[in-house]
Amino acid sequence: MRVLCAFPEAMPSSNSRPPACLAPVALILALLLHLSLSSQAGDRRPLPVDRAPGLKEKTLILLDVSTKNPVRTVNENFLSLQLDPSIIHDGWLDFLSSKRLVTLARGLSPAFLRFGGKRTDFLQFQNLRNPAKSRGGPGPDYYLKNYEDDIVRSDVALDKQKGCKIAQHPDVMLELQREKAAQMHLVLLKEQFSNTYSNLVLTEPNNYRTMRGRAVNGSQLGKDYIQLKSLLQPIRIYSRASLYGPNIGRPRKNVITLLDGFMKVAGNTVDAVTWQHCYIDGRVVKVMDFLKTRLLDTLSDQIRKIQKVVNTYTPGKKIWLEGVVTTSVGGTNNLSDSYAAGFLWLNTLGMLANRGIDVVIRHSFFDHGYNHLVDQNFNPLPDYWLSLLYKRLIGPKVLAVHVAGLQRKPRPGRVIRDKLRIYAHCTNHHNHNYVRGSITLFIINLHRSRKKIKLAGTLRDKLVHQYLLQPYGQEGLKSKSVQLNGQPLVMVDDGTLPELKPRPLRAGRTLVIPPVTMGFYVVKNVNALACRYR
């Protein structure tokens, strides 16, 4: 939702009234001016207006929300997660049973968990107990095996053996994993740039081997999906399995051609159409890139292109963004894992739901690199806290936002991209702190000045709970820590998530949005008809 703020024109003082004898002349001039302007159909530029000296422009924004019917309803698992197969290659798989990591994952439930990524195309399955021996060289499991007699990987066992707290992890093991992961990260980058990949081996009895080194067009890919569906249906445990695809990349011309061919053949075979999106080339990125509205709006054009093809063949088919990252090539340290990257992530969530995309899968929940929600020390990053607040406060029903006065008109060929973005949903009905009928706003302010918002209409004079998320520490926008309403967010010593405490705002109070921040605002007891029922 783009919001533009109106500034009323200055009115002349009562003392500046023209003499009565000039009234007819003024009337004639006004008519001539009107005819002159009417003849200039193509020129819509506003005329300059002189403002009375000392008169300040009003910056108050009036905000209301339609509460009778939702404009969209997305999946209950709208915000979902992904794990990349590289966690097997670089040896992090064994830590997924960590109590701390499980606690962080549980905080983002309910959600789909996608195990996939580029390296999925290079997975092989073998029914062997120790694949490291068959590869002729040490793998991640080899390193873990050599140390398993000295280090017990269970958090509880480590607490007894090493005297560590449950929330901590073995330094020796983590250093070993970081060293191995750093080496494998270089290998993965080399593979990505050269577009040449080595195989991975998984111990599962499927004996599955994907195709390599072969181009497949959209029609052929569609036929393959139909064949896959027919193979799954006779198997009892897979007979009702959902099928998603084709998981295309950025919808450029050749990709759209592939999608068109796929949908023509297999549009009715898949349960949802999927694609992936990456905002920034990670090799060239600055902190201010995350504040560019033009960058935030690149996703909108992709949604339009995908929906156009899908609705041509299967109107109403669900669409998933099955993999979204801020920066490519593993991300950029101190940028894609910082507070600044949250503007892209929160706007992505708001824009996708507002446009009717059913599910978005975040790449990745945990891995080596900088695009993730949890870092390699098992510490939640700013995007994790954003996701946690989203899960706790936002329900699947999307509401229309209305603001007073869209007054600025774009010049021909010019697009106005506003830096204040407001989205509205029914409050999550699983959150027992709020009765059904409450509404949650989430607001992104990219301006370098604060913005004032006055709730109007059905939101007028209602009590509001504020969840303002700001960077914590001296790094500013590059900070990897955040504060909620002025209090730093960290995991509790016993390894549990902290309580997310709101700041109550007085009923009828104007919302003041600080510069370059984002936050959630629960408007209580609205009794919104759209939000009273599931």
Side-chain angles (χ1 to χ4, degrees):
M1 172 63 61
R2 301 185 185 119
V3 181
L4 302 179
C5 179
F7 302 112
E9 296 182 2
M11 298 295 295
S13 64
S14 58
N15 296 328
S16 59
R17 185 175 304 165
C21 60
L22 295 180
V25 177
L27 178 61
I28 294 173
L29 290 176
L31 291 173
L32 291 175
L33 179 61
H34 174 73
L35 293 174
S36 175
L37 291 176
S38 301
S39 65
Q40 300 176 17
D43 189 3
R44 298 189 177 185
R45 291 176 293 180
L47 294 175
V49 179
D50 294 331
R51 300 186 182 275
L55 184 61
K56 295 184 179 180
E57 296 178 334
K58 295 184 179 180
T59 59
L60 187 65
I61 299 170
L62 296 180
L63 170 66
D64 192 13
V65 173
S66 296
T67 59
K68 290 185 178 180
N69 297 294
V71 293
R72 301 280 190 276
T73 301
V74 296
N75 199 294
E76 288 277 355
N77 299 347
F78 173 72
L79 196 170
S80 289
L81 305 172
Q82 174 173 322
L83 287 175
D84 196 277
S86 60
I87 65 172
I88 301 173
H89 204 303
D90 55 25
W92 289 97
L93 186 62
D94 291 77
F95 284 102
L96 294 184
S97 60
S98 161
K99 180 179 179 180
R100 184 182 179 94
L101 208 55
V102 169
T103 299
L104 290 169
R106 186 178 291 118
L108 301 183
S109 64
F112 296 111
L113 178 61
R114 177 178 185 260
F115 184 75
K118 182 176 287 188
R119 292 200 59 85
T120 307
D121 296 333
F122 303 92
L123 289 177
Q124 299 180 10
F125 295 83
Q126 289 186 6
N127 190 14
L128 296 174
R129 289 189 176 183
N130 192 352
K133 295 181 180 179
S134 66
R135 288 199 297 265
D141 55 334
Y142 168 82
Y143 288 90
L144 296 175
K145 181 65 178 176
N146 282 355
Y147 286 88
E148 67 180 4
D149 294 334
D150 300 324
I151 299 177
V152 182
R153 282 166 288 180
S154 167
D155 283 340
V156 177
L158 281 167
D159 187 49
K160 296 178 180 178
Q161 179 181 347
K162 298 288 184 178
C164 300
K165 295 181 179 179
I166 291 180
Q168 295 176 339
H169 299 271
D171 294 337
V172 176
M173 184 58 120
L174 278 176
E175 284 301 320
L176 176 69
Q177 291 303 123
R178 290 194 196 101
E179 180 181 352
K180 178 63 179 175
Q183 295 173 1
M184 291 312 306
H185 187 58
L186 295 177
V187 173
L188 294 175
L189 288 177
K190 183 179 179 180
E191 289 180 344
Q192 183 168 347
F193 282 117
S194 64
N195 204 29
T196 303
Y197 295 85
S198 59
N199 289 327
L200 285 173
V201 179
L202 296 179
T203 55
E204 290 184 12
N206 301 61
N207 197 27
Y208 171 76
R209 189 181 295 263
T210 57
M211 293 182 296
R212 295 170 293 168
R214 178 181 173 186
V216 180
N217 60 35
S219 299
Q220 181 59 51
L221 185 60
K223 294 176 183 178
D224 293 340
Y225 267 76
I226 295 174
Q227 178 68 11
L228 174 60
K229 189 79 171 182
S230 65
L231 292 173
L232 292 175
Q233 286 180 343
I235 305 174
R236 183 174 60 86
I237 60 174
Y238 296 128
S239 60
R240 297 184 180 181
S242 298
L243 192 60
Y244 306 96
N247 202 28
I248 59 173
R250 187 176 300 175
R252 297 188 175 116
K253 184 177 180 180
N254 60 327
V255 178
I256 288 295
T257 301
L258 186 146
L259 178 62
D260 187 89
F262 177 87
M263 293 301 300
K264 187 176 182 179
V265 174
N268 292 318
T269 302
V270 293
D271 294 271
V273 179
T274 60
W275 100 100
Q276 296 193 9
H277 177 62
C278 178
Y279 279 100
I280 304 176
D281 181 354
R283 289 169 291 184
V284 181
V285 60
K286 299 177 181 179
V287 66
M288 296 308 296
D289 290 339
F290 295 99
L291 308 183
K292 293 179 179 178
T293 55
R294 184 175 298 275
L295 179 65
L296 271 63
D297 290 337
T298 57
L299 182 60
S300 178
D301 185 57
Q302 291 197 18
I303 295 173
R304 179 186 60 80
K305 292 179 180 179
I306 298 292
Q307 288 179 330
K308 181 179 180 181
V309 177
V310 172
N311 291 330
T312 298
Y313 298 100
T314 54
K317 175 71 68 174
K318 300 293 185 182
I319 302 176
W320 289 18
L321 180 54
E322 199 175 58
V324 57
V325 294
T326 53
T327 55
S328 62
V329 200
T332 305
N333 189 21
N334 295 325
L335 288 176
S336 50
D337 53 357
S338 69
Y339 176 85
F343 295 112
L344 279 179
W345 178 226
L346 189 57
N347 186 72
T348 297
L349 295 172
M351 182 179 291
L352 289 173
N354 199 50
R355 298 286 292 274
I357 303 302
D358 196 46
V359 171
V360 54
I361 299 180
R362 172 61 187 253
H363 183 291
S364 173
F365 172 64
F366 166 76
D367 194 4
H368 182 77
Y370 310 105
N371 270 327
H372 315 300
L373 300 181
V374 180
D375 68 14
Q376 58 180 325
N377 295 312
F378 307 143
N379 293 319
L381 293 167
D383 277 7
Y384 176 86
W385 297 115
L386 266 179
S387 303
L388 183 64
L389 283 166
Y390 190 96
K391 280 287 188 179
R392 296 279 179 87
L393 301 175
I394 301 297
K397 292 183 178 180
V398 185
L399 304 176
V401 174
H402 305 285
V403 293
L406 295 179
Q407 73 294 352
R408 287 197 302 167
K409 294 184 179 181
R411 298 179 183 179
R414 178 188 174 194
V415 179
I416 294 180
R417 304 177 188 276
D418 196 57
K419 294 185 176 183
L420 183 66
R421 300 181 178 222
I422 305 175
Y423 300 97
H425 284 238
C426 293
T427 303
N428 189 343
H429 59 264
H430 293 298
N431 192 324
H432 300 299
N433 294 324
Y434 303 106
V435 298
R436 292 191 179 184
S438 299
I439 291 175
T440 300
L441 310 168
F442 55 103
I443 302 174
I444 301 171
N445 182 16
L446 297 176
H447 290 279
R448 296 187 179 183
S449 59
R450 66 179 186 174
K451 296 300 174 183
K452 296 181 180 180
I453 299 177
K454 183 71 174 179
L455 301 183
T458 55
L459 308 183
R460 187 192 309 272
D461 297 330
K462 300 297 182 182
L463 184 65
V464 177
H465 276 184
Q466 172 186 275
Y467 297 82
L468 181 63
L469 206 64
Q470 295 175 291
Y472 179 73
Q474 302 297 322
E475 296 85 0
L477 293 177
K478 290 186 177 182
S479 176
K480 298 180 183 180
S481 301
V482 294
Q483 54 183 326
L484 179 65
N485 296 325
Q487 297 298 319
L489 282 177
V490 293
M491 292 191 73
V492 185
D493 289 341
D494 63 358
T496 59
L497 291 170
E499 182 182 358
L500 303 178
K501 296 181 180 180
R503 178 190 175 194
L505 302 180
R506 187 178 68 254
R509 178 178 174 179
T510 299
L511 302 183
V512 180
I513 315 300
V516 197
T517 56
M518 45 197 156
F520 298 80
Y521 300 83
V522 180
V523 187
K524 302 181 63 179
N525 304 321
V526 178
N527 198 26
L529 181 62
C531 306
R532 283 160 52 186
Y533 308 100
R534 295 184 63 176

